[in-house]
Amino acid sequence: MHRPLVITDDHALLDDLVRIAAAAGAQLDVAHLPAHARPYWSLAPLVTVGADQADAVAATAPSPRDQVLLVTRTPDDPDTWRKCVAVGAQAVITLPGDERSLVDRFADAMEPEPRSGPVLCVLGGRGGVGASVLSACLALHASGSARLRTLLVDADPLGGGMDALLGHEETAGARWGDLVAREGRIGSSALQKALPAFGDLAILSFNRGEAAPIPARAMRSVLDAGQRGFDLVVVDLPRHFSEAAVEALARARATLLVAAADVRGVLSAVQVLGEAGKHTTDLRAILRPGIVDPDTATASLGIPYAGTLPDQPRLTATLNRGELPKLGPRTALGTLCASLLQDLLPAA
């Protein structure tokens, strides 16, 4: 991967740019004169031109390109915008005021090609109905049979841990407690490297004994990074709508509500829907078999029917042994997951 290019002979400005790039995890190619920049001009993902070299760069008539910034420490210089136009820059960065923005720009420049993964949320109509199992199975199927790079986000601090559900509670890697203290942007590559993973599936869960709520800004940063770096983000939501849960719902392409097809199950799910519908629009019902027929249950819920999550008598024992559920095309769970992904992600 090519590095961002800096063109400046202002050593104080260069020191600032090196420090800012380091905060973004980036290293720089540095040219003190425009002639030294020619081999890198077209290849660098981002070019920052110091105001001290702007006219000299313009005099070389470099080929037009995107991602060129003019960087200055004198915001009141009336000549700044002329220099910006002359050098072909798309924006002016004024230090120190725009430092955070420049950190993000450097970080973006070091990212691989973004993937724009959609967010799918899964929500239980009541406790123990199987929403977490469905979340895990969707993520497993997507990362396995569908060959999608998938991020599974555990958003329920009181849920017992999605990593434990999949038998990976001892796997090394970052958990929510390691991320909530961070401020600002999280790089998608850094997130992928930090999280416990197997194959194309990465998991973000909680440390044992950790039940602190997730700040909305932390969820926002994780979902931003997840959407940039993964083909699919599956979020297992709690039934109480924290700020973090609302953040995920607001981004969801679709939200699957798992409801038991019995009287109390439907009534409980209706209550949950009343809250969820304030924050997202595409809600679909996944039913657990019960005494209420699917047509009556979905009519009571008032949202489209998306499938039935079958009873799996051996599934709990399989998960308790730390084994992954079988999701082949001949299994009920595998068929459901394949159907859901086909409906929700047509390109998958």
Side-chain angles (χ1 to χ4, degrees):
M1 181 180 292
H2 296 287
R3 297 184 291 192
L5 171 65
V6 169
I7 308 173
T8 183
D9 200 35
D10 182 333
H11 295 285
L13 178 61
L14 179 59
D15 287 344
D16 284 341
L17 293 174
V18 169
R19 174 181 54 80
I20 293 168
Q27 294 182 320
L28 303 175
D29 286 321
V30 179
H32 295 289
L33 297 173
H36 301 161
R38 286 177 182 170
Y40 309 99
W41 177 265
S42 298
L43 300 176
L46 176 70
V47 177
T48 54
V49 180
D52 63 298
Q53 291 294 312
D55 287 333
V57 169
T60 66
S63 57
R65 54 155 295 161
D66 293 330
Q67 299 298 319
V68 178
L69 305 175
L70 180 73
V71 185
T72 180
R73 291 190 298 168
T74 54
D76 298 327
D77 184 353
D79 213 25
T80 296
W81 286 103
R82 182 195 63 79
K83 292 179 179 179
C84 177
V85 172
V87 81
Q90 287 81 49
V92 173
I93 298 293
T94 303
L95 299 181
D98 295 334
E99 184 169 314
R100 170 49 59 184
S101 173
L102 189 54
V103 170
D104 290 345
R105 294 267 197 161
F106 278 133
D108 285 339
M110 299 306 295
E111 293 281 11
E113 191 67 25
R115 292 177 177 250
S116 301
V119 174
L120 298 182
C121 290
V122 183
L123 179 62
R126 73 180 186 197
V129 78
S132 293
V133 170
L134 180 59
S135 298
C137 290
L138 273 173
L140 285 169
H141 183 82
S143 62
S145 300
R147 299 182 180 179
L148 301 175
R149 183 177 291 176
T150 304
L151 172 62
L152 176 57
V153 178
D154 183 356
D156 187 357
L158 304 179
M162 189 62 71
D163 54 349
L165 177 65
L166 294 176
H168 282 264
E169 67 271 24
E170 301 298 330
T171 303
R175 265 67 176 180
W176 272 115
D178 304 306
L179 300 181
V180 295
R182 292 180 60 108
E183 293 185 1
R185 185 184 183 283
I186 298 174
S188 61
S189 298
L191 184 66
Q192 291 176 41
K193 293 176 182 177
L195 295 180
F198 53 101
D200 280 332
L201 176 60
I203 306 170
L204 176 55
S205 192
F206 296 85
N207 291 311
R208 304 277 75 78
E210 179 182 57
I214 306 165
R217 67 177 185 279
M219 178 63 79
R220 189 177 307 119
S221 295
V222 164
L223 294 181
D224 281 342
Q227 291 188 270
R228 289 194 305 270
F230 292 84
D231 299 309
L232 174 66
V233 181
V234 178
V235 184
D236 183 53
L237 291 177
R239 288 184 300 119
H240 53 279
F241 293 104
S242 63
E243 291 182 355
V246 169
E247 184 70 34
L249 281 169
R251 292 170 177 259
R253 174 175 292 185
T255 298
L256 302 174
L257 177 77
V258 184
D262 56 48
V263 174
R264 290 189 67 243
V266 171
L267 291 175
S268 176
V270 168
Q271 295 288 92
V272 174
L273 275 173
E275 289 300 309
K278 297 176 183 178
H279 310 292
T280 193
T281 55
D282 191 339
L283 286 150
R284 310 185 190 193
I286 302 291
L287 297 180
R288 293 296 305 273
I291 62 171
V292 179
D293 67 86
D295 290 341
T296 301
T298 51
S300 300
L301 293 171
I303 57 176
Y305 169 74
T308 296
L309 179 61
D311 290 327
Q312 300 282 316
R314 299 179 182 177
L315 180 59
T316 300
T318 297
L319 295 172
N320 283 335
R321 290 194 300 268
E323 300 174 7
L324 299 179
K326 292 180 171 59
L327 297 172
R330 296 184 179 180
T331 67
L333 267 177
T335 300
L336 173 63
C337 290
S339 174
L340 288 172
L341 290 178
Q342 184 175 3
D343 289 343
L344 299 171
L345 310 173

